[in-house]
Amino acid sequence: MGKLIRLELHNFKSYKGRHVLLLGDSYFTSIIGPNGSGKSNSMDAISFVLGIKSSHLRSSHLRDLVYRGRVLRTSTVNGDGSSTRNGANGHGNGEAGNDDDDTQHGSQERHDPKSAWVTAVYEDDAGDEQFWKRTITNQGTSEYRINDRVVTAHQYNEALEAENILIKARNFLVFQGDVEAIASQSPRDLTRLIEQISGSLEYKAEYEGLKVAQDEALEHQNHNLNRRRGINSEIKQYQEQKLEAENYAKKASERDDAVVTHILWKLFHFQRVIEESGAEIQKHQEELKEHKRGIEKYEHNLDEAKKDQAKVGRDVSKVERNIKKKEKDIEEKENGLVPIAEKIDITNKKLKKYDARINEIAKERDGQSDSVKHSTKDLKVVEKAQAQWESEWKKLANQEGRELTEADVQQYNRLKEDVNARTSADQVKVDNMSRQQKADEETVNSLKSKVTAAEWQIDKLETEIDEVEERKGNINNQIMQISKDIDSKKKNLNSVTSERLKASQKRIENDEQLQEVLNKIAEGEDGRKQNEKELRLKATVADLKRIFPGVKGRVGELCKPKQKKYAEAVSTVLGRHFDAVVVDNEKTAKDCIQYLRDQRRGQATFIPLDTIQWKAVNSSLKGMHRGTRMAIDTIEYDSTLERAMSYACGNSIVCDDLSIAKHVVYEKGVEAKAVTLDGGVVHKGGNMTGGRGREQNARRWEDTEMENLRKLADKLLATRAAFPDVRRSAYDEETLQGDLTGLEQKLAYAKDEVKAYERNQSSKQKELSHAQGELNGAKPTYEEKLQELEELKASVKEYRDAVGEVEDEIFSDFCQRLRYENIRVYEAQQGSLQQEGAQKKLEFTTQKSRLENRISYEQQQLQETKKRIKTLEDSSRQDQSLIAELQAEQGSTRNDLDSLNTELEQLKEQLAQQKATLAKKAEKVTEQRREVQKRSKNVDGVVKVVAGLEAETQVNAAGRYALLRRCKLEDISIPLHEGSRGLDKLPINDILQGDPDAMDVDEDPDSSSFQPTVVQDYGIEIDFDDLDEDLKENSDDRLDDELQKKISNLSSELDKMAPNMRVLERLEGVESRLKTTEKEFEDARRRAKKAKEDFEDIRDQRNELFKKAFSHISEQIGPIYRDLTRSSALPMGGQAYLDVEEEDEPYLSGIKYHAMPPLKRFRDMEHLSGGEKTMAALALLFAVHSYQPSPFFVLDEVDAALDNANVAKIANYIREHAGPGMQFIVISLKTGLFQASEALVGIYRDQGANSSKALTLDLRKYQ
């Protein structure tokens, strides 16, 4: 193998310009240098030129690999990227440079290089040099050259792979940090590393894709296989169903023949009965014609009377509605007057309160105004006295003054100088003390004024507090009186309310009782209407009885509760069986059903006594509880009907109340329906039913109570009329409520006023406390200052006396000549006037200041009082306006109320007149009805006979039509005479479509019209020749049963068979699907086989590559680890091995790496120390590199985590294995490693050139 001779770098990272890293012929070269010098950039340069992506070179873009130097502001960048240092005047403004600014604007200000390249010079086995060059162009892309020939990246990679330099596996370098990553990687990561080295990773995507394709193909094959099996099973089932269908067709033909025979037999006998009944009906119709002519006139009169009665009734209803509307309007107007009157009353009371309050505050205002006037008057008196005194003082000063000669004045001044010379010290003290005395006198006077003002304010505040307390006492008395009035009103209101509530409760109870009675009457009336409805039902049942002798009647008619209290319970127990019809046998029930169906007369439930299934009453249920009894025991019925009644009642139990019912069903566990006397039900399943149910059925047993109910209703109406007027009571109550509300508002206002007084009192109390505090603070100070002033005056007198003695001695001759007692008398005469005047002025000033302060305070209080009066007057004016509006609204409402009352009286008079007219019309209707009924008795007998024949004809005609209609709908072919119309001409809905329930149609029983029955044959003539003579002669019901039984047996057999009639069609479809499925299965089987073969080929290739690499690495790991860990003390070194988790396909699982350092047991990587992990990781790296080794191996600071001993072991291992075919290039800072190398490449930083530079040293000369 060859070796790397040198690296040429141009503007790459920290290398500015062109640089050469000379490796020479050394097989163990160390690249060293201080941190930050750029030694790791040389590692990046090797990685870059050998095709490693920029993301692995500590950069996100290729442009980041181009040189960007830090240039000072004192330098200039030349065109070639070099910098020239400027002179001292590099900064014209004297500011220092900023590296951040240079960095930020580097590309714009410095013109950094836009491209870079690295060339690796490689010497192959033949000794020829190859130049591998990778350039970063100006566009930020890579350009590849081999021996100065531009090639593609793929060609570049192929040339490197030819020298066993694998870029994807990176088998030629170990980056800084890779050792730590390998030491901490998981078994799956180790597997991926070996896959990269072995090349099996390139087959991973194809392997996974083919595996998915194989699974899908196999799944598709199994799916088609299951489909084929399912279709074969389906074919077998359809073949069996084909035989069943053939048998079914044969039975169906026999059944159709039996149906045709039965229909011909019934049609024959229907035709015979119709012809016989028609002759009888014609005979009776002639008899009825004469009778009907006689009653037509009276029926017409009855109809006219009914119309007149209905018209008057509508007018009465209309007037009653109008009266109710007017009464409602009147009530609303009256209710609207109450709040208006209440608002007016409340507002008037507020006005009175405002007036009283205004008067009180006006008195307070007048008092405050008088006080202001009095104080102002006092101020004027003081000012006048001051002016008078000043005039008098000036006159006095002029009278007492004496004139001295010039010589006397000079002598006085000279003597005064002598006195000053002898008493200068004392005079200084006297002057100082005099000035101090004047200041103290002013202070004392000020404090005295303050004390006087405080005492005056305290007196005034105490007076005002007493006045507020008095007013508050008056308001409290008012509150007590108002509270008493409120209690009185509340008692009256409670009394009125209680009476109204009692009356209202009685009215409600009366109304509820009345409503209940009226409801019962209405239900009774409704019951009568229902009875009219039942007349039709009874008529239908009567027709059934006449036509079919075996009909007994309805269950509700055939039984009756033994006691009235059982009526509701029995009605609930019977439930849907209440209107069920009891017949003697099943045949009668079928005939009745057929009759109802043909005549469209609704539906009914029939209970045949011969075939009804019922369970005997459980005797153990009797006497279970004293509040229970069997439902069958609570009714009376004929003994012949016991089966029907037992069926209808079953094991139902009648209980006195719901608690007993729950006890029986829930606690006793009785499986029976428990019914309470009020109709509640607890079913045997546990569910409950309650509320109003079948009261109507129960009411049918209570018709005799109607008259008593009407009497009770009249009595309740009379009681209701005797109750006091609710509106009057409500008005009284609302009046009291309004008074109470007004008193409560008045009380609230009074309480608010008390609170206001309390707040005012509290405020004045605070002012009083403040004034007392100021007095308490000023008075001691005043007394203290006054005492100090007295002491100061005594001191001044003492010094003045000393000075006076000297003055008396010096001024004795002067005073004798001028006839003064002493010089001080002379000086006092000249200065006392001024002193007296100043004192007097101070007194006047103090008195005026006190009066002005008082006037200002009182004027402020007066203004606040006037504002309060104005606010109350504004509120009073607003309330007066409100009263005017309310009174206008009240007058308008009363006018409307008078109009409504007048209209109501008129409507009541109109109602009375119309009710009288209605009574006359009702009497006329009753009279006309009696006339009609009297003349209709002769017709009833004949009508009943004709109705019976008519019904029989209709029954048979309907039976004939129903059979023909059935034949048409069911496509039954029957024989017809030649020339007869076909069944397709038969109308499907020929019977008139009225009320679908014929029993609900109202028919006037008094109607005199009678229409003969017309039997429509629709032109269809049936050929009865094929019908046996025995069947024509015999119309017995037993023959009908035999024919139906035969049809039923054949139908039962057909129902049991239930063949698939589309089996042939489906069988053909399934066979066709089988052919398609078999073809698809063969295609899927071939695709699955092909996918399996493709997958196995890729799997074998991947497995072979991986196992080859794994076997080699597994064999090498032990010796390499032993070489790395042995020492002179431990010549055997450590042991290491690889353990694969999956033998068949090891690349699908993880590979565990176990290492046993010397004198230690085997353990996993995570349990080793830091140095042990690094040694184990390096052993693995060397073992991996030994598989398809590259000609050189670059290690970047792999010894960073090792101590010196382990570094020495690494150095020894590299030195032993370095040689032809294995070139080591190591970047290291550890002396123990690089001192063992053959050559050193030193990297250093040239700060002047702002670039990394390299030096090479061959150490073999020194070893």
Side-chain angles (χ1 to χ4, degrees):
M1 288 186 178
K3 62 180 178 179
L4 193 62
I5 298 175
R6 67 180 180 273
L7 282 179
E8 297 178 3
L9 296 85
H10 180 71
N11 290 334
F12 184 82
K13 283 199 152 187
S14 61
Y15 294 89
K16 182 180 71 175
R18 184 174 181 276
H19 296 270
V20 177
L21 273 67
L22 185 61
L23 305 177
D25 58 353
S26 169
Y27 289 100
F28 181 12
T29 303
S30 294
I31 299 176
I32 63 174
N35 288 331
S37 61
K39 59 181 182 298
S40 292
N41 290 340
S42 61
M43 172 75 168
D44 294 341
I46 297 173
S47 303
F48 171 74
V49 75
L50 295 179
I52 300 300
K53 294 181 179 180
S54 61
S55 58
H56 297 292
L57 305 179
R58 300 177 294 170
S59 300
S60 57
H61 302 286
L62 286 174
R63 290 181 183 274
D64 297 337
L65 301 177
V66 179
Y67 170 79
R68 289 184 182 181
R70 179 177 60 84
V71 180
L72 300 176
R73 286 189 181 273
T74 57
S75 302
T76 300
V77 180
N78 300 323
D80 61 352
S82 62
S83 61
T84 303
R85 192 68 175 270
N86 292 332
N89 296 326
H91 296 282
N93 56 3
E95 294 181 357
N98 190 315
D99 291 345
D100 294 338
D101 294 339
D102 290 339
T103 303
Q104 182 177 356
H105 305 288
S107 62
Q108 297 178 2
E109 298 177 357
R110 301 199 313 266
H111 306 290
D112 284 338
K114 299 294 181 62
S115 64
W117 53 263
V118 178
T119 301
V121 181
Y122 176 77
E123 182 182 294
D124 58 15
D125 293 338
D128 298 330
E129 291 186 353
Q130 296 184 20
F131 295 86
W132 298 331
K133 183 178 182 180
R134 182 180 179 185
T135 304
I136 302 173
T137 65
N138 294 337
Q139 292 77 25
T141 59
S142 291
E143 180 186 82
Y144 299 93
R145 291 174 179 269
I146 298 177
N147 296 327
D148 205 23
R149 181 173 57 86
V150 178
V151 296
T152 63
H154 180 67
Q155 293 172 339
Y156 195 81
N157 289 340
E158 287 181 348
L160 294 176
E161 289 176 359
E163 297 297 330
N164 217 18
I165 300 173
L166 305 179
I167 297 175
K168 293 181 180 180
R170 294 193 303 179
N171 65 336
F172 56 89
L173 56 85
V174 177
F175 282 113
Q176 184 176 349
D178 283 356
V179 175
E180 290 80 0
I182 291 175
S184 60
Q185 67 183 354
S186 65
R188 295 291 299 181
D189 295 334
L190 182 56
T191 301
R192 182 176 179 81
L193 175 63
I194 295 177
E195 275 205 282
Q196 288 177 338
I197 296 299
S198 65
S200 66
L201 187 62
E202 298 178 359
Y203 293 96
K204 180 179 181 181
E206 187 177 3
Y207 171 89
E208 292 176 349
L210 290 174
K211 183 171 179 60
V212 172
Q214 177 192 1
D215 294 341
E216 291 178 350
L218 184 61
E219 182 180 359
H220 187 59
Q221 176 187 352
N222 293 333
H223 173 69
N224 285 289
L225 177 62
N226 292 330
R227 282 181 59 199
R228 188 178 69 173
R229 291 174 179 172
I231 292 173
N232 286 329
S233 175
E234 199 172 346
I235 289 175
K236 183 176 180 182
Q237 291 178 358
Y238 283 142
Q239 289 174 348
E240 294 174 354
Q241 292 176 4
K242 181 180 178 182
L243 296 177
E244 294 178 359
E246 293 173 351
N247 293 333
Y248 181 83
K250 183 178 179 181
K251 288 286 183 182
S253 177
E254 294 179 6
R255 192 269 313 272
D256 293 342
D257 293 340
V259 169
V260 171
T261 300
H262 181 248
I263 290 174
L264 287 175
W265 177 78
K266 294 188 73 174
L267 287 173
F268 178 80
H269 290 289
F270 282 148
Q271 186 70 31
R272 180 179 59 79
V273 173
I274 290 171
E275 292 173 355
E276 293 175 355
S277 299
E280 292 293 327
I281 292 172
Q282 189 64 33
K283 177 181 177 181
H284 291 290
Q285 282 179 348
E286 296 297 330
E287 298 177 4
L288 288 173
K289 290 180 181 179
E290 294 298 327
H291 296 294
K292 290 179 180 178
R293 291 192 189 100
I295 63 174
E296 288 178 354
K297 176 182 177 182
Y298 296 98
E299 289 178 344
H300 177 72
N301 294 336
L302 177 61
D303 293 339
E304 292 297 328
K306 286 182 178 180
K307 291 179 181 178
D308 293 341
Q309 182 188 15
K311 182 179 180 182
V312 175
R314 287 193 296 272
D315 294 339
V316 170
S317 299
K318 182 177 180 181
V319 174
E320 288 177 344
R321 288 195 298 271
N322 290 334
I323 288 174
K324 289 181 179 179
K325 183 178 179 182
K326 293 295 180 184
E327 289 177 346
K328 184 177 180 182
D329 294 340
I330 290 171
E331 184 178 359
E332 290 178 354
K333 292 291 184 182
E334 289 177 346
N335 292 337
L337 283 174
V338 174
I340 293 175
E342 182 180 341
K343 289 180 181 178
I344 291 173
D345 186 39
I346 292 173
T347 308
N348 283 325
K349 292 177 181 178
K350 287 172 65 178
L351 283 176
K352 293 179 182 178
K353 178 191 169 186
Y354 287 148
D355 293 339
R357 183 62 181 151
I358 288 172
N359 292 332
E360 291 178 3
I361 298 177
K363 291 178 181 179
E364 184 178 349
R365 178 197 61 192
D366 295 340
Q368 292 174 350
S369 179
D370 293 339
S371 179
V372 171
K373 291 178 181 179
H374 181 70
S375 298
T376 305
K377 184 178 179 180
D378 292 343
L379 180 60
K380 290 180 179 180
V381 170
V382 171
E383 290 176 348
K384 185 177 179 181
Q386 183 180 7
Q388 184 178 0
W389 171 82
E390 288 177 351
S391 177
E392 294 175 353
W393 181 77
K394 288 180 181 178
K395 291 179 181 181
L396 179 62
N398 292 330
Q399 292 174 1
E400 294 182 356
R402 294 181 183 178
E403 295 293 332
L404 295 178
T405 63
E406 185 67 27
D408 293 336
V409 172
Q410 291 177 359
Q411 184 183 4
Y412 173 77
N413 291 333
R414 187 176 63 255
L415 294 174
K416 194 68 175 175
E417 289 175 359
D418 294 339
V419 172
N420 291 338
R422 293 178 60 182
T423 62
S424 59
D426 293 336
Q427 284 185 355
V428 170
K429 291 181 180 180
V430 169
D431 292 339
N432 291 335
M433 289 182 178
S434 297
R435 286 193 297 271
Q436 181 65 34
Q437 181 179 347
K438 289 181 180 180
D440 290 348
E441 287 176 349
E442 291 178 358
T443 302
V444 169
N445 292 332
S446 176
L447 290 172
K448 182 179 180 182
S449 176
K450 188 174 181 181
V451 168
T452 305
E455 289 175 345
W456 174 84
Q457 188 176 7
I458 288 171
D459 294 337
K460 185 175 182 300
L461 288 173
E462 287 176 347
T463 303
E464 291 177 351
I465 289 172
D466 293 338
E467 292 176 357
V468 170
E469 185 66 30
E470 182 180 357
R471 293 173 186 171
K472 188 173 73 171
N474 295 333
I475 298 297
N476 284 327
N477 294 332
Q478 292 180 11
I479 289 174
M480 293 176 63
Q481 184 61 39
I482 293 171
S483 299
K484 291 180 181 179
D485 295 342
I486 288 174
D487 294 338
S488 176
K489 291 289 184 183
K490 282 184 177 180
K491 289 180 181 178
N492 294 336
L493 178 61
N494 292 334
S495 177
V496 172
T497 304
S498 177
E499 291 176 0
R500 181 183 63 80
L501 291 176
K502 289 179 181 178
S504 177
Q505 183 65 28
K506 290 180 180 179
R507 180 186 291 273
I508 292 171
E509 292 175 356
N510 186 81
D511 290 346
E512 289 178 352
Q513 188 176 1
L514 177 61
Q515 186 63 41
E516 184 178 358
V517 171
L518 292 176
N519 288 339
K520 290 180 180 179
I521 293 173
E523 290 174 0
E525 294 293 337
D526 184 58
R528 281 208 299 277
K529 292 179 183 179
Q530 183 65 27
N531 288 336
E532 291 176 6
K533 207 171 182 181
E534 283 186 354
L535 288 175
R536 295 188 294 275
L537 178 59
K538 288 180 179 179
T540 301
V541 176
D543 290 342
L544 291 175
K545 287 182 179 180
R546 185 176 61 256
I547 298 171
F548 307 106
V551 177
K552 304 295 183 182
R554 292 179 299 160
V555 172
E557 297 172 345
L558 298 176
C559 69
K560 182 180 179 182
K562 291 182 178 180
Q563 297 181 28
K564 182 180 177 180
K565 66 177 182 178
Y566 297 142
E568 189 75 23
V570 170
S571 174
T572 304
V573 168
L574 294 179
R576 59 189 177 87
H577 299 304
F578 193 92
D579 289 326
V581 181
V582 180
V583 296
D584 57 352
N585 54 47
E586 184 179 3
K587 181 179 181 302
T588 303
K590 291 181 179 179
D591 292 340
C592 292
I593 293 171
Q594 187 64 38
Y595 171 77
L596 294 176
R597 183 185 301 117
D598 295 340
Q599 295 298 316
R600 298 291 182 89
R601 301 186 72 175
Q603 296 180 345
T605 301
F606 295 90
I607 301 177
L609 294 173
D610 62 338
T611 60
I612 190 69
Q613 300 293 327
W614 63 282
K615 294 182 180 180
V617 177
N618 189 353
S619 59
S620 62
L621 300 179
K622 294 183 179 180
M624 178 181 296
H625 192 282
R626 64 180 181 179
T628 62
R629 62 211 50 82
M630 299 300 297
I632 192 68
D633 296 336
T634 62
I635 57 175
E636 296 177 352
Y637 57 88
D638 190 88
S639 59
T640 59
L641 304 174
E642 183 176 1
R643 290 172 61 87
M645 297 303 166
S646 298
Y647 168 76
C649 295
N651 282 330
S652 299
I653 302 172
V654 177
C655 304
D656 290 345
D657 52 39
L658 186 61
S659 60
I660 296 175
K662 291 180 180 179
H663 173 74
V664 170
V665 176
Y666 295 158
E667 298 181 10
K668 294 290 187 179
V670 175
E671 294 187 359
K673 180 169 67 174
V675 183
T676 62
L677 295 179
D678 58 358
V681 182
V682 180
H683 298 274
K684 59 184 178 181
N687 55 315
M688 300 175 65
T689 304
R692 299 184 65 84
R694 301 182 174 271
E695 303 91 337
Q696 189 172 350
N697 293 336
R699 295 290 184 270
R700 298 178 189 175
W701 291 314
E702 299 176 359
D703 293 339
T704 58
E705 298 181 1
M706 292 297 294
E707 189 62 29
N708 294 331
L709 289 174
R710 290 193 182 92
K711 292 180 181 180
L712 180 58
D714 294 338
K715 181 179 178 181
L716 292 172
L717 286 171
T719 304
R720 188 175 187 275
F723 283 122
D725 188 3
V726 177
R727 288 178 294 179
R728 181 61 186 172
S729 301
Y731 178 76
D732 294 340
E733 185 176 348
E734 288 175 355
T735 302
L736 288 172
Q737 184 65 44
D739 295 340
L740 181 60
T741 302
L743 289 172
E744 288 176 347
Q745 290 183 351
K746 187 175 181 181
L747 178 63
Y749 292 147
K751 289 182 178 179
D752 291 341
E753 195 167 357
V754 168
K755 290 180 180 178
Y757 278 129
E758 289 176 350
R759 288 195 296 270
N760 190 10
Q761 185 179 12
S762 177
S763 176
K764 291 185 180 299
Q765 194 69 40
K766 289 180 180 178
E767 292 180 11
L768 178 62
S769 299
H770 178 68
Q772 288 176 346
E774 288 185 350
L775 179 61
N776 294 333
K779 196 168 184 179
T781 305
Y782 166 69
E783 294 174 352
E784 182 180 354
K785 291 294 182 181
L786 184 61
Q787 180 66 29
E788 291 177 358
L789 180 60
E790 294 297 333
E791 293 176 357
L792 183 60
K793 285 181 178 180
S795 299
V796 171
K797 185 176 180 302
E798 180 181 350
Y799 284 108
R800 280 180 177 172
D801 290 342
V803 173
E805 291 177 359
V806 176
E807 287 177 342
D808 290 341
E809 180 181 348
I810 294 175
F811 282 99
S812 60
D813 295 337
F814 181 77
C815 290
Q816 288 177 4
R817 184 170 57 82
L818 294 178
R819 294 190 300 279
Y820 284 105
E821 182 179 355
N822 53 46
I823 193 61
R824 288 181 296 284
V825 173
Y826 166 76
E827 290 175 349
Q829 184 177 357
Q830 296 297 322
S832 60
L833 291 175
Q834 300 297 329
Q835 185 176 2
E836 181 181 355
Q839 180 66 28
K840 200 68 175 178
K841 286 181 181 180
L842 178 61
E843 292 177 358
F844 280 118
T845 301
T846 302
Q847 193 170 5
K848 284 171 62 179
S849 176
R850 181 173 57 81
L851 289 173
E852 287 172 353
N853 291 335
R854 181 190 300 175
I855 290 170
S856 175
Y857 173 76
E858 291 176 347
Q859 286 178 343
Q860 183 180 359
Q861 294 291 323
L862 180 61
Q863 291 297 326
E864 291 179 357
T865 303
K866 289 180 179 179
K867 288 181 182 179
R868 291 165 60 194
I869 292 174
K870 186 176 182 304
T871 302
L872 291 172
E873 289 175 348
D874 293 341
S875 300
S876 178
R877 283 194 292 271
Q878 291 177 1
D879 287 347
Q880 288 174 355
S881 300
L882 177 62
I883 288 174
E885 295 174 0
L886 292 174
Q887 287 175 345
E889 183 179 358
Q890 188 179 41
S892 175
T893 304
R894 285 176 176 170
N895 293 334
D896 295 341
L897 189 59
D898 293 338
S899 300
L900 290 174
N901 284 322
T902 303
E903 294 174 1
L904 179 62
E905 292 298 329
Q906 294 175 356
L907 288 173
K908 287 183 177 179
E909 293 175 359
Q910 184 180 354
L911 177 63
Q913 295 173 0
Q914 290 183 353
K915 281 188 175 180
T917 304
L918 181 62
K920 293 178 181 179
K921 295 294 183 182
E923 184 178 354
K924 185 176 179 180
V925 169
T926 304
E927 182 180 354
Q928 293 297 328
R929 182 176 284 115
R930 284 198 297 267
E931 291 293 331
V932 171
Q933 290 176 353
K934 182 167 57 177
R935 287 166 175 76
S936 299
K937 291 180 181 178
N938 297 329
V939 182
D940 291 343
V942 178
V943 169
K944 288 182 179 179
V945 174
V946 173
L949 293 172
E950 183 77 16
E952 188 174 3
T953 301
Q954 289 179 354
V955 169
N956 288 277
R960 181 177 183 274
Y961 170 78
L963 286 175
L964 293 176
R965 183 171 179 271
R966 175 189 171 193
C967 292
K968 178 179 179 180
L969 295 176
E970 298 181 5
D971 198 19
I972 300 174
S973 178
I974 59 175
L976 301 175
H977 282 293
E978 186 175 356
S980 172
R981 298 180 70 183
L983 291 177
D984 57 334
K985 305 297 182 181
L986 181 71
I988 298 299
N989 298 315
D990 186 58
I991 297 177
L992 292 178
Q993 298 296 324
D995 188 345
D997 188 355
M999 292 182 288
D1000 293 339
V1001 177
D1002 283 334
E1003 296 177 358
D1004 191 350
D1006 299 331
S1007 176
S1008 61
S1009 61
F1010 184 83
Q1011 296 295 333
T1013 303
V1014 177
V1015 179
Q1016 180 63 263
D1017 60 3
Y1018 307 103
I1020 298 174
E1021 299 179 5
I1022 303 171
D1023 185 3
F1024 296 106
D1025 294 341
D1026 294 339
L1027 188 64
D1028 294 342
E1029 292 297 329
D1030 295 339
L1031 297 176
K1032 291 179 179 180
E1033 295 175 358
N1034 189 358
S1035 62
D1036 192 0
D1037 292 339
R1038 286 179 293 181
L1039 181 59
D1040 185 24
D1041 293 340
E1042 292 177 0
L1043 293 175
Q1044 287 187 352
K1045 185 175 181 181
K1046 181 179 179 181
I1047 295 171
S1048 177
N1049 292 335
L1050 291 172
S1051 298
S1052 299
E1053 293 179 5
L1054 289 173
D1055 291 340
K1056 292 177 182 178
M1057 295 175 70
N1060 183 0
M1061 302 308 295
R1062 298 181 62 185
V1063 63
L1064 294 177
E1065 177 184 350
R1066 293 184 178 179
L1067 182 60
E1068 292 176 358
V1070 171
E1071 289 176 348
S1072 175
R1073 283 195 293 119
L1074 178 61
K1075 294 179 182 178
T1076 303
T1077 303
E1078 287 180 344
K1079 181 178 179 182
E1080 292 176 353
F1081 172 71
E1082 290 299 326
D1083 293 341
R1085 189 172 61 81
R1086 286 194 297 271
R1087 285 196 297 271
K1089 182 178 180 182
K1090 178 67 168 55
K1092 182 179 180 182
E1093 292 174 353
D1094 294 342
F1095 171 71
E1096 289 177 349
D1097 290 343
I1098 293 299
R1099 182 192 63 189
D1100 294 342
Q1101 293 179 31
R1102 185 181 182 188
N1103 201 2
E1104 181 180 359
L1105 289 174
F1106 186 87
K1107 287 185 175 180
K1108 181 178 179 182
F1110 177 76
S1111 298
H1112 175 82
I1113 294 171
S1114 181
E1115 292 173 358
Q1116 293 296 321
I1117 189 67
I1120 291 175
Y1121 184 72
R1122 184 167 56 252
D1123 292 343
L1124 285 174
T1125 56
R1126 69 185 177 182
S1127 63
S1128 57
L1130 301 169
M1132 298 302 294
Q1135 298 181 21
Y1137 69 92
L1138 297 176
D1139 184 16
V1140 65
E1141 295 178 355
E1142 175 65 37
E1143 292 290 344
D1144 295 335
E1145 293 184 82
Y1147 42 79
L1148 297 180
S1149 60
I1151 295 176
K1152 289 186 178 181
Y1153 178 29
H1154 303 278
M1156 185 180 72
L1159 301 180
K1160 294 185 179 180
R1161 59 184 178 85
F1162 277 107
R1163 61 183 67 186
D1164 294 333
M1165 290 289 289
E1166 60 266 18
H1167 298 142
L1168 299 177
S1169 64
E1172 291 171 345
K1173 284 183 181 179
T1174 302
M1175 296 299 286
L1178 286 172
L1180 179 60
L1181 283 173
F1182 291 146
V1184 169
H1185 182 265
S1186 67
Y1187 180 76
Q1188 295 182 351
S1190 64
F1192 50 83
F1193 200 23
V1194 185
L1195 305 175
D1196 186 3
E1197 296 189 23
V1198 296
D1199 55 351
L1202 299 178
D1203 56 11
N1204 292 332
N1206 286 325
V1207 169
K1209 293 177 182 178
I1210 294 294
N1212 292 333
Y1213 177 84
I1214 293 175
R1215 190 171 183 84
E1216 290 176 1
H1217 290 80
M1222 179 61 71
Q1223 179 185 9
F1224 286 93
I1225 302 172
V1226 180
I1227 299 174
S1228 176
L1229 292 175
K1230 297 293 182 73
T1231 305
L1233 180 61
F1234 65 73
Q1235 71 181 5
S1237 60
E1238 297 177 355
L1240 291 179
V1241 176
I1243 306 298
Y1244 66 96
R1245 183 78 175 179
D1246 187 346
Q1247 297 296 337
N1250 195 16
S1251 171
S1252 297
K1253 291 188 177 181
L1255 296 174
T1256 302
L1257 178 63
D1258 190 352
L1259 297 180
R1260 288 174 293 184
K1261 301 176 182 179
Y1262 309 102
Q1263 293 176 349

